[in-house]
Amino acid sequence: MEKHELPQMSGTLLKLKISEVIVPQEMSELYDYSSRQNEIDTLTTSIEEFGQLEPITVVLVDGQYMVINGVLRYKAIVHLEKNEIDSIVLKIDSNEVGFSLSDIIVHAQIQKVKTVGEKIKEFISILRLDSIDTNPLRDRNKRYGFLSKSLGRGWSRSNVI
């Protein structure tokens, strides 16, 4: 089976204007941030006291920097009314590599501890269960393989289905 992966996720560290950065709708559809205010408050206090120690990760889509990792840090910086945010800007052309923005977000969030509901939303997004798949580069078997691998031992293709 042909191996098809995201390009190496490395990028350039930049200070971006807050007005240039947004949280894409895809991020909000995949993950629930509504009950995370306590974490945002804690990050706000930490950033206020020590500065932003870890940059957010963004990709450039249609001239807009989209957050793919670091939404809580972004919200804390916005709460502090800062004008700039430290960001790692990934150079990924999703059209060129055949991945949707949702795919890139899921890959960037692989280490995140997720709720069952967030995992289900990731599955639906990766398997394209909620839309017509027009992407010939990512056939269903490759997506099943990705989910099996990311879930770990005991999750064969039949368990994912």
Side-chain angles (χ1 to χ4, degrees):
M1 186 164 130
E2 175 188 337
K3 190 174 183 178
H4 189 80
E5 297 179 2
L6 274 172
Q8 183 70 26
M9 280 214 182
S10 62
T12 306
L13 183 61
L14 295 175
K15 266 197 187 304
L16 297 175
K17 293 179 182 171
I18 286 291
S19 61
E20 297 175 320
V21 180
I22 64 166
V23 177
Q25 182 176 342
E26 291 88 345
M27 183 69 87
S28 300
E29 290 170 355
L30 288 167
Y31 307 110
D32 180 16
Y33 295 101
S34 63
S35 62
R36 314 271 312 261
Q37 190 58 47
N38 189 39
E39 292 169 80
I40 295 168
D41 292 344
T42 301
L43 280 168
T44 301
T45 302
S46 174
I47 292 169
E48 193 171 42
E49 198 168 320
F50 301 108
Q52 184 186 352
L53 300 177
E54 187 177 345
I56 63 170
T57 306
V58 299
V59 293
L60 188 60
V61 177
D62 298 328
Q64 190 77 50
Y65 293 101
M66 304 280 185
V67 179
I68 62 168
N69 193 350
V71 171
L72 299 179
R73 281 170 274 150
Y74 169 81
K75 289 182 181 233
I77 294 284
V78 168
H79 181 74
L80 288 168
E81 298 179 353
K82 301 274 186 184
N83 294 324
E84 296 180 325
I85 188 165
D86 293 334
S87 309
I88 296 173
V89 180
L90 299 181
K91 307 238 187 292
I92 298 175
D93 182 349
S94 61
N95 294 325
E96 186 177 302
V97 296
F99 287 84
S100 69
L101 181 59
S102 291
D103 292 337
I104 294 168
I105 290 169
V106 170
H107 283 273
Q109 297 288 320
I110 221 71
Q111 298 289 336
K112 179 182 177 188
V113 176
K114 302 165 191 132
T115 66
V116 172
E118 289 173 337
K119 279 274 193 204
I120 290 170
K121 289 176 187 177
E122 282 185 347
F123 288 8
I124 290 168
S125 176
I126 290 290
L127 296 175
R128 309 286 196 277
L129 298 176
D130 60 347
S131 64
I132 296 173
D133 187 2
T134 60
N135 190 345
L137 296 176
R138 298 281 319 268
D139 72 357
R140 198 169 293 273
N141 286 331
K142 289 178 185 172
R143 288 186 236 130
Y144 283 129
F146 166 74
L147 288 174
S148 294
K149 187 176 179 181
S150 68
L151 289 171
R153 189 177 181 158
W155 282 93
S156 66
R157 182 182 189 280
S158 60
N159 291 10
V160 171
I161 296 171

